[in-house]
Amino acid sequence: MSTFTVKAFGAEAADSDLKQLAIVRRTVTSNDVEIDILFCGVCHSDLHTARNEWHGSIYPVVPGHEIVGRIIQVGDNVDRFKVGDIVGVGCMVDSCRECESCRDGLEQYCEKGNIQTYNGQDVHLNKQTFGGYSERIVVDESFVLRIPENLDLAAAAPLLCAGITTYSPLKHWNVGPGKRVGIVGIGGLGHMGVKLAKAMGAHVVVITTSASKVEDARRLGADEIILSTDEIQMQANANSLHFILDCVSAAHDINSYLSLLKRDGSLTLVGAPEHPLPVAAFSLIPSRKTLAGSMIGGIKETQEMLDFCGEHNITSDVELISMEEINDAYERLLKGDIKYRFVIDMASLKN
Ligand code: NAP
Ligand code: ZN
Ligand code: ZN
């Protein structure tokens, strides 16, 4: 298969910093588009994968699945896009397209496993896929999204993962008017969860460990804020929420958050900490509570989320960085020292 080489940034081992690398992309085939990457968001999953915290990382790891760019080439059969279009690519670049989940538009739950944008199995080149910390990417048009014209492109990039990962469970669990919804962990995902739940009409309760986010949460759209390190505030809010979206990236006591749910309430995990979270049976049994999980969203729903954000003028609060600043950004992410998403200006890699 014909290929070309682009500059990228990646990790060669779990304990090494990210640095500049050369990677190979396939030349566009008939259904592909080639995208010149303009911006790429920095998801905590990038860090988990670069450092092999979920195990199974294949090195080198080139992370990045919040990609916004401009199409510079299209294959012969491409009919949805043309050169010059501004588009996005999220966490998946393909799936089997035949199983029940794929037919239902839930490619993220593909029964054969979706093909992740990075650290997935590239069926064209028979090696691992490489993500958006790179100059260009080649993707089948079926996995490419349109970015609404009114949105700032850098601030729209995080919608491709943080946006859809919070939108999908909020919709699935019918968040809207009359529902009291808790968002735990106000990082990249959590701050999008607050904005989206508010736009859906819910009463939004931010649950944070960071005193510095208490004031800011109202600006994001919170109606109430609970500082989870304050036992008195936690007890005062017991049995008060219909639904909780848990966006926490590290070890935390899930039982204390389950206590905030009303009878028949659900807590859905989107945060994916490295180690298992102990759950007491009696955190669930007495009030018939549900503990669930949710992964990103399908392509159709991702476009629906982008259009919803276009209509409601919703984007991420971002801090723009250069590619060279990525290792510092990872350290700051671990300290929660970011309001609320780093986005890489990919021009910095191309110079
Ligand atoms: P992030 O920006 O680092 O945010 C994580 C937030 O978790 C922090 O801002 C902090 O919020 C809270 N937190 C951190 N350590 C904590 C602790 N020890 N106890 C309680 N809260 C703590 O990360 P992100 O990019 O939003 O990603 C969040 C998680 O979701 C990651 O594990 C990521 O891999 C996962 N993820 C899952 C999916 C999916 O499809 N399910 C998709 C994308 C990402 P406060 O300061 O407010 O407490
Ligand atoms: Zn992500
Ligand atoms: Zn499938």
Side-chain angles (χ1 to χ4, degrees), residues 95-99 101-102 110-112:
S95 70
C96 89
R97 307 181 192 207
E98 290 170 351
C99 72
S101 294
C102 285
C110 174
E111 284 145 40
K112 294 188 182 135

Side-chain angles (χ1 to χ4, degrees), residues 42-49 53-54 65-66 91 108-109 116 118 160-166 169 183-192 206-214 226-229 246-253 257 268-274 293-297 330 332-338 340-342:
V42 178
C43 179
H44 208 112
S45 303
D46 299 355
L47 188 159
H48 288 307
T49 309
E53 290 175 357
W54 293 333
H65 57 205
E66 294 183 336
C91 304
Q108 75 275 32
Y109 303 121
Q116 302 260 301
Y118 59 82
L160 277 306
C161 174
I164 185 58
T165 301
T166 50
I183 310 285
V184 185
I186 311 305
L189 266 58
H191 94 292
M192 288 312 309
V206 153
I207 304 156
T208 180
T209 61
S210 303
S212 70
K213 295 177 188 169
V214 168
I226 302 172
L227 189 61
S228 54
T229 50
D246 181 331
C247 307
V248 176
S249 54
H252 59 295
D253 178 14
Y257 299 102
T268 292
L269 293 169
V270 285
E274 179 178 5
S294 180
M295 188 164 73
I296 49 175
Y330 278 8
R332 285 182 52 197
L333 195 59
L334 284 172
K335 286 189 247 158
D337 175 23
I338 164 70
Y340 286 88
R341 196 56 135 190
F342 291 111

Side-chain angles (χ1 to χ4, degrees), residues 89-332:
V89 177
C91 304
M92 300 180 283
V93 288
D94 217 332
S95 70
C96 89
R97 307 181 192 207
E98 290 170 351
C99 72
E100 193 177 336
S101 294
C102 285
R103 288 201 312 272
D104 287 346
L106 298 167
E107 302 88 352
Q108 75 275 32
Y109 303 121
C110 174
E111 284 145 40
K112 294 188 182 135
N114 72 67
I115 299 182
Q116 302 260 301
T117 303
Y118 59 82
N119 206 54
Q121 179 61 31
D122 186 334
V123 291
H124 300 267
L125 300 177
N126 203 20
K127 58 199 299 203
Q128 74 270 41
T129 53
F130 296 120
Y133 297 5
S134 60
E135 293 177 290
R136 285 181 269 158
I137 190 166
V138 175
V139 183
D140 186 296
E141 69 163 334
S142 305
F143 284 74
V144 175
L145 289 311
R146 278 184 197 287
I147 307 296
E149 278 175 12
N150 58 317
L151 300 183
D152 176 81
L153 297 186
L159 301 178
L160 277 306
C161 174
I164 185 58
T165 301
T166 50
Y167 181 90
S168 184
L170 292 172
K171 289 286 278 197
H172 184 75
W173 275 275
N174 299 315
V175 163
K179 292 282 173 67
R180 294 175 55 87
V181 175
I183 310 285
V184 185
I186 311 305
L189 266 58
H191 94 292
M192 288 312 309
V194 174
K195 292 184 186 201
L196 292 167
K198 186 69 189 169
M200 290 174 188
H203 181 90
V204 182
V205 181
V206 153
I207 304 156
T208 180
T209 61
S210 303
S212 70
K213 295 177 188 169
V214 168
E215 275 305 305
D216 209 29
R218 289 206 189 275
R219 181 183 62 79
L220 295 175
D223 297 292
E224 290 178 50
I225 297 123
I226 302 172
L227 189 61
S228 54
T229 50
D230 181 341
E231 200 46 47
I232 294 167
Q233 287 187 43
M234 288 293 275
Q235 278 169 13
N237 287 281
N239 307 312
S240 66
L241 301 172
H242 295 100
F243 180 72
I244 295 175
L245 191 64
D246 181 331
C247 307
V248 176
S249 54
H252 59 295
D253 178 14
I254 199 163
N255 302 288
S256 69
Y257 299 102
L258 284 166
S259 74
L260 301 175
L261 286 175
K262 291 162 97 64
R263 191 201 72 224
D264 290 325
S266 303
L267 184 150
T268 292
L269 293 169
V270 285
E274 179 178 5
H275 300 294
L277 301 166
V279 181
F282 285 105
S283 294
L284 299 170
I285 289 172
S287 296
R288 201 164 52 184
K289 294 174 182 173
T290 304
L291 176 61
S294 180
M295 188 164 73
I296 49 175
I299 293 299
K300 185 162 172 275
E301 192 175 40
T302 305
Q303 190 62 61
E304 177 189 306
M305 175 277 308
L306 286 164
D307 296 343
F308 179 88
C309 289
E311 269 164 46
H312 294 264
N313 233 329
I314 294 174
T315 52
S316 176
D317 289 22
V318 303
E319 179 176 333
L320 214 54
I321 58 169
S322 68
M323 193 66 260
E324 291 69 27
E325 292 173 293
I326 191 66
N327 294 304
D328 289 340
Y330 278 8
E331 292 311 312
R332 285 182 52 197

